[in-house]
Each structure stands twice: as C-alpha cells, then as structure tokens.
Amino acid sequence: GYYGGYCYLPLYITCGDHLLASKLRPSDIDGAAGSVEEVARIVAQIRRRWPKVRIILRADSGFARENLMAWCEANGVDFLFGLPRNVRLAAEIRAELDQAKLASEADEGRPARRFKDFTWTTRKTWSRRRRVVAKAEWTQGEANPRFVVTSLSDEAWPARSLYEDLYCARGEMENRIKEFQLDLFADRTSSATLHANQLRLWFASFAYVLVSALRRIGLAGTRLQRASCGSLRLKLLKIAAMVTISVRRIKFAMNCACPFQREWALAYGRLSAQAA
C-alpha cells in the first residue's frame, strides 16, 4: 500500500493446487483475523466427504495465535505454524547457535545448521505448553534462527525433517499467491467498495480454479502440466485463430506453426470427454 491510500489483506487457504478460500479483508487487522471461522467451515466440509481423513494446517508465523491453535487441538486438526522470534526463544538455542557458528567457520564459511526440540509457552497468551522446533543456523557470517510450533509428535516428525521437509514445503503456497496476484489479477481492487472488490477477487479465484483444472485434467503428462497460470494464458489461450460460426458448429482455424498445438488439441479432447 501507499501512504494515505487504502490497502487490503486477503486470506488464501489452499490444499496443494486446490484453492479452498479467498477472502478479502481490510489491512488494519491482525493477520490471522477470521482464520478460525474459515478453517472451521472448510474442515467441516472436508469431513462430511472424508470423515477419517487426517488434516494438517500449515501457515507462517502470522497465524501462530492461541485461538487458532486451541481450535485445532479441540477439533483433531494437527498444525504446524511459524513462530515469531523473541529474546526468550533466542536464549533457548544460544548453545546450538554457537555450535553452528563454529561448524560454519571450520567449513570455510558454508552454512551450518543445528536443531533443537523443546516445549515452550508464552507468559500470557498461550493456554498450555506446546512443542517448538528451532533451527539454529549460521550463514553468511551471521545468525539466522527460525522457530516453528506444532502439535505433531517427535516420533512421527523428528525436528530436522519437520522443519526442512514439512514446514519449508509451505513455500510452494507462495507460488499460488503469485499466480492469483500476478497472472490472474487478484490484486485488481479498483472498485469503490469492499464488497465489489471481494467480487473481483472471487472472479480471479474462479479463473484460477478453471485454469488449475485445465492443468490437472487436460495437460497431465505434457510439458505444460506444471506450467504457471501466466504461461498457460500465453501459450494456450492468447493465441491467434480464425473463428467461423455456422448453425451447427463453431470452427477454430489455428496456425499450423503454433508451437503448442499438440497440447491444445489434447486438452480439448480430454475436457470434451469430461463434459460428455
């Protein structure tokens, strides 16, 4: 946002490539505001369809809030959230950071990591002690500590794999946000009211669902099966064609030199079969 202007703080919830929620919110609120209500709605819908499915909620440190963690614990939902750093947490891993520093200096300055697993609680806001995993990293000549809080057990997820394999995979969600915002114009909120801009966000969300289905159903096994929404717009949708409309059919005459004509024809055939 810009000084003196308006800014929005959208809430996105995804499961892999599937978009489950896109809610436009004002920006003068806590980053996790409204998350409990959205998660409760989505979890209820999932469990009506798949009663025994295991659900793990993963988010960055902006969502490490007591009400959301307590709701997960009360409703059988596991969680893994980033945890904001503070002086008390930093003190917990002082020895591990010193070890990482020595290891990095002994290895010509290459990054070194140590992990620590402990239980921790805040002084006022948390209702109970929870498992915290710390990454004590020394890189580029300085400390780079990170913390996560989770309901997952250390037997199922040891500290290193919990952070590196499960939590860091959350970064894939950043690609979904880029697709919403940059490729499908979800950041276009130029209407005068919040409700009108929410409708704009939903239109962008509908577009994402359609393009994601095109990628999942029509382009599986092709060179475009993992292409971004922006790439699919340019390579499959924004291409020149001559359209002829008659009483019985609509004919598309495409350039025989189109580099993605095979993928276009394959996607058309697969989607037509789905519709039938």
Side-chain angles (χ1 to χ4, degrees), residues 68-137:
L68 184 55
M69 291 188 288
W71 184 93
C72 290
E73 291 162 345
N75 290 273
V77 174
D78 284 310
F79 63 85
L80 175 58
F81 300 148
L83 189 61
R85 177 175 45 182
N86 59 41
V87 293
R88 288 179 60 215
L89 285 170
E92 286 279 349
I93 61 168
R94 187 172 293 118
E96 286 74 17
L97 274 174
D98 290 342
Q99 294 171 13
K101 179 181 179 181
L102 292 174
S104 176
E105 292 172 347
D107 194 23
E108 300 179 348
R110 292 185 177 89
R113 289 180 173 185
R114 297 293 184 270
F115 288 86
K116 185 175 182 180
D117 200 323
F118 57 97
T119 59
W120 191 79
T121 186
T122 61
R123 288 173 174 165
K124 295 181 179 179
T125 56
W126 287 12
S127 61
R128 54 177 291 182
R129 299 184 71 85
R130 296 182 170 100
R131 182 190 179 197
V132 170
V133 168
K135 179 199 73 171
E137 183 178 50

Side-chain angles (χ1 to χ4, degrees), residues 35-78:
S35 57
V36 173
E37 293 79 6
E38 289 298 310
V39 169
R41 176 181 64 82
I42 291 169
V43 168
Q45 291 179 333
I46 291 173
R47 285 181 169 163
R48 279 197 295 270
R49 182 69 180 270
W50 301 285
K52 297 181 180 180
V53 71
R54 186 184 186 189
I55 299 173
I56 301 176
L57 187 62
R58 183 174 56 191
D60 64 18
S61 59
F63 293 87
R65 301 290 186 266
E66 169 63 25
N67 61 342
L68 184 55
M69 291 188 288
W71 184 93
C72 290
E73 291 162 345
N75 290 273
V77 174
D78 284 310

Side-chain angles (χ1 to χ4, degrees), residues 197-272:
N197 286 320
Q198 174 65 78
L199 184 59
R200 284 181 176 271
L201 179 59
W202 282 338
F203 284 151
S205 302
F206 298 157
Y208 173 80
V209 171
L210 290 173
V211 175
S212 182
L214 168 65
R215 185 166 50 196
R216 184 178 66 255
I217 300 170
L219 297 171
T222 72
R223 52 182 166 165
L224 295 178
Q225 65 177 349
R226 297 302 303 167
S228 68
C229 291
S231 294
L232 294 182
R233 285 178 57 240
L234 292 174
K235 295 175 179 178
L236 289 187
L237 305 181
K238 294 182 68 174
I239 55 178
M242 181 179 295
V243 182
T244 304
I245 302 176
S246 66
V247 175
R248 291 179 293 176
R249 62 176 62 89
I250 300 175
K251 181 180 178 181
F252 291 89
M254 301 171 63
N255 193 321
C256 63
C258 175
F260 294 95
Q261 56 182 300
R262 176 184 174 275
E263 285 79 7
W264 201 100
L266 184 62
Y268 173 80
R270 289 175 173 176
L271 295 177
S272 298

